Amino acid sequence: MHIGNYLSLVQQSEQQLSRAFSQVADHHGDEPDIYQVCQTLSDWSRQHTTELQPLVDRYRSDKSDEPERLSQTLFDKPRTGGLALLRDLHDLYLLATEVELCWVVLLQAARGLRDQELESRCETFDKTTKRQLTWLMTRIKQAAPQTLIVAD
Amino acid sequence: MMEQTRDSIADIWGDRTPHYGDWPVRVDQRVTTEPDHWVQSACVLCSNGCGLEIGVKDGCIVGVRGLDRDPVNHGRLGPKGLHGWEANHSPDRLTKPLIRRDGKLEEASWEEAMNLIVERSRDIIQKHTSLAMGFYTSGQLFLEEYYTLAVLGKAGLSTPHMDGNTRLCTATAAAALKQSFGTDGQPGSYIDLDTTETILHVGHNIASQHTVLWMRILDRLAGPNPPKLIVIDPRRTFTAEKAHIHLMPRVGTNVPVMNGLLNLVIESGQIDQSFIDAHTVGFDELKKTVANWTPERVEELTGVPASQLRAAAQLLATTSTLVSSALQGVYQSMQATAAAVQVNNLHLIRGLIGRPGCGIYQMNGQPTAQNTRETGADGDMPAFRNSGNPEHMNQLARIWNVDVRNIPHWSPPTHAMQIWRYAEQGSIKFLWINATNPAVSMPDLARVRQILQKEGLFVIVQDAFMTETARYADVVLPAAIWGEKTGCMTNVDRTVHLTQKAIEPPGEAKADLDIFVDYARRMDFRDKDGAPLIKWTTAEEAFAAWRECTRGRPCDYTGMTYEKLRRGGIQWPCNEEHPDGTSHLYTDGVFHTGADDCEAYGYDMTTGGAITPEEYKANDPKGRAIIWAADYEPPHEQPDQDYPLWLTTGRLVYHFHTRTKTGRSAALAKAAPDSFVQISDQDAQAYNIADGDLIEVESRRGRVLEPARIGDIEPGLVFIPFHFGYWDDPKRSRAANELTLTEWDPVSKQPHFKYAAVRIRKATEVDKDALVLDQAGQRVNAGSTTPKTTE
């Protein structure tokens, strides 16, 4: 079984997403809404990481040797400024999509295994990730015209 | 000769006329001499919208009297209404346009001023597109003026950057109504107060803010069948003094208190399950969320004793009718929309909506805030249309005869805080401010002053006086005000009043409508057929155009005319079906939440993320009200070692907004001449401060010096009224918003004025001059090659 691989993948992705939200909060502190919401969303991902631990432990033995794989490096160095904000939100969206996709994959497996705990966790976490994506999309749509057309 | 029926300064609410069911008439009047004639109007000094008549003699206003037949006030007027009109004849009215030349504002002709504005508009649009154009309007113009502004901004310039200072004041009211019921608009009516069994005020010091509405409640309390009154407010206000139950929560904890109440009501089993099943969605989520808010947990977090919460919940669970109101204590605080929505939820789960005695007033602070929202001058789409609904946008394009792509609707409109941020960053290069005073009313004033002085930002201020903001303008346009122009205004309970021109404006001052029409003509805005986009010149013609725009929408005005409005206020919707207007919405339990009908698809309460049309349609509530649950989130700035106290701000009974008008009435200015800082006895002792001592209050953003007023407030909390700026006293730092935060509610985008961490100390030094010169806008703009000064 490869469920363990995916659980550690999603855990790493959530860690990365949490850090990325937190970085964006720090580096765009002049945008109060970005600052506040990104901190909140960072907390959500951090909470997922913690709550996921029992499942990661349970499926640890089911982990195959992992290829040097899908590790995300999108979020490298923090950027500041108008265009940078848009690009950071853009990258956050991609990171969050990675997490969202993991939930879908794991949910399928959970159903196949009839593992109710895994299924319910995936469903709950997926809802939170979708809320992160919804906010990111809203904010990206807001920032895009002004950034691409008028901003210096 | 001076004739007044009562001394409203000494006795704010006047004698009681006890009542139940039918509020007796009492005509309040104050004139300085016998008028030649009376002109029908309504008061514009709070959102109550009291009908009144303006007394005129020899072309001057000489007084006012309440309109006896008016459904809103039955003849009564408050101190602001009885005295505020004196501002019209203030000697320091602006009477000529001003243009900044070599750093100084100098008199100019209208031709020069408008040509300059048009030239700059064209230049900026050509170089940067109309996304570089921003408008920041008011809650004090008339409907016809806002609608004209909305059309010229949306279909003429095609800019999404248009908002009003209603964002600071009642954006949350609109957001909460949209989230719960699908569109803006109050479900109830003021007449509900005349019969209701129970009244709940949440963060609403109604006795100071809506004096005439409070008279109506006082008269019920003095009557044969008085209602029970519950007040939720951290201060012991005039309102709280009359309450049967006064809950004093810590700042920023409205959601836990409301959740605690909802939990107890649900636990009591007194909910209207059949109404919930037939007419709402989302109840199970609410039940699950509030179940965690036991009275003990609420007490621990909010400081409200569990026994008091239980007593309040007991009343709310058993009352057969309920009127609730919410205002800035909710709207300008943490989780603003979430808390306001819990008030709606209380009515929904008990089925107390859509019938007499059951009103929800998601209150407004400003008299015409409702019109800014209806017409789309605050960024919303006219007549509660949904920018995410292509059919709604096509309707607007048809009404205006323009290409739908010219109407910016690709994302939610830019809210005020974001408009100012774009100006700060330099992507908005043109900012037209009318009838408002952001240099005193916005949060974090040091930042606002910097933006106003920014090089590359062309600022137009259209106002009646040289306000703190106008000092920074590149062009100042002298505007006519109430009494000097005709137009309609809609109050909180959807009553539309016609307020008529009684006198000529001073000098060359012009009605805002005339200024907007002139701008549209000079900019040569045209429709698809080459005809002028703005097809009207008078207020009555603008009203007719607006009426057509509202046809079939929830705020249907098609049954109204100026002629009909001269007979008295009318509540929308007013159309063929309801020719006399409508006192209650949702009488059939059907709400405007259908996917084709709703004004917005809703927002995530925590993040503000917009629900997509597809998501909304997949769960179409189809006319059922939406119950939104919300859990507690702590305020973003909390007291700590460095800044150990909470600051909150609010209003005084004698003043309105930044005192632009009320500060110019002798009696009102004398009744409340200065700002102050209110602290508790305990804090006064701890800091060794006596009543009247000058205190320095400092936050991370700025500092002010205020005389102390001690008592009637919780320890740890500091209160400063927000009205005071610098125009009449540039010698002391005293604008409360020097201290407040640039943060806003994720859904309504309303700034958080009601909390900030501050420290205080007894002021001992007199090293304040440099600071004050800067704050009062009198210092030369250091470092700029073209300094902006006014002297």
Side-chain angles (χ1 to χ4, degrees), chain B residues 490-503:
Chain B
T490 307
N491 78 346
V492 173
D493 84 342
R494 296 173 281 106
T495 302
V496 182
H497 282 104
L498 176 64
T499 159
Q500 300 185 108
K501 180 172 174 173
I503 57 166

Side-chain angles (χ1 to χ4, degrees), chain B residues 345-620:
Chain B
N345 286 344
L346 178 61
H347 284 255
L348 288 171
I349 65 170
R350 293 227 47 234
L352 301 177
I353 191 165
R355 58 186 165 86
C358 295
I360 305 171
Y361 314 146
Q362 296 287 352
M363 270 332 256
N364 299 340
Q366 295 196 79
T368 69
Q370 184 67 48
N371 300 114
T372 328
R373 280 143 52 182
E374 288 169 4
T375 58
D378 69 342
D380 285 339
M381 287 296 168
F384 302 160
R385 287 185 174 84
N386 183 344
S387 60
N389 183 332
E391 175 45 30
H392 284 194
M393 293 304 95
N394 286 332
Q395 287 170 9
L396 281 183
R398 281 197 295 275
I399 292 165
W400 296 338
N401 191 27
V402 296
D403 188 320
V404 72
R405 281 170 298 194
N406 287 7
I407 305 170
H409 61 281
W410 48 76
S411 70
T414 318
H415 57 93
M417 304 304 288
Q418 190 67 53
I419 290 176
W420 285 85
R421 175 67 181 148
Y422 286 152
E424 185 174 42
Q425 289 175 309
S427 75
I428 283 183
K429 299 170 193 298
F430 176 107
L431 188 57
W432 191 330
I433 300 166
N434 53 72
T436 186
N437 191 11
V440 179
S441 60
M442 293 276 289
D444 195 357
L445 292 180
R447 186 165 165 253
V448 172
R449 283 191 291 271
Q450 276 176 7
I451 297 171
L452 284 168
Q453 294 175 83
K454 206 178 140 59
E455 226 166 322
L457 179 68
F458 185 71
V459 178
I460 301 163
V461 173
Q462 179 172 322
D463 210 316
F465 295 97
M466 182 52 73
T467 61
E468 289 85 342
T469 306
R471 288 173 178 279
Y472 295 102
D474 294 287
V475 178
V476 177
L477 301 176
I481 52 176
W482 169 91
E484 299 161 0
K485 56 180 186 175
T486 293
C488 290
M489 52 186 270
T490 307
N491 78 346
V492 173
D493 84 342
R494 296 173 281 106
T495 302
V496 182
H497 282 104
L498 176 64
T499 159
Q500 300 185 108
K501 180 172 174 173
I503 57 166
E504 289 300 324
E508 295 176 22
K510 283 189 191 182
D512 299 272
L513 177 71
D514 296 341
I515 299 170
F516 294 143
V517 169
D518 185 31
Y519 177 69
R521 186 182 58 80
R522 287 170 191 264
M523 289 295 287
D524 200 27
F525 295 137
R526 293 189 178 270
D527 70 10
K528 276 203 291 203
D529 299 326
L533 175 69
I534 308 290
K535 297 175 173 56
W536 52 88
T537 51
T538 68
E540 191 159 4
E541 288 163 6
F543 185 77
W546 166 245
R547 242 177 13 201
E548 279 314 303
C549 185
T550 64
R551 188 176 291 280
R553 295 300 299 153
C555 57
D556 197 329
Y557 279 69
T558 51
M560 290 184 217
T561 60
Y562 272 20
E563 191 46 49
K564 221 161 144 180
L565 286 164
R566 283 195 188 97
R567 280 174 249 151
I570 303 173
Q571 287 171 290
W572 63 247
C574 172
N575 47 24
E576 262 180 36
E577 199 186 336
H578 306 283
D580 300 320
T582 310
S583 61
H584 290 86
L585 305 181
Y586 314 128
T587 48
D588 51 2
V590 178
F591 299 85
H592 291 297
T593 55
D596 296 335
D597 187 20
C598 66
E599 185 179 359
Y601 298 120
Y603 296 91
D604 186 296
M605 294 287 249
T606 310
T607 66
I611 293 162
T612 64
E614 296 73 27
E615 286 168 316
Y616 194 89
K617 280 174 196 155
N619 304 294
D620 193 341

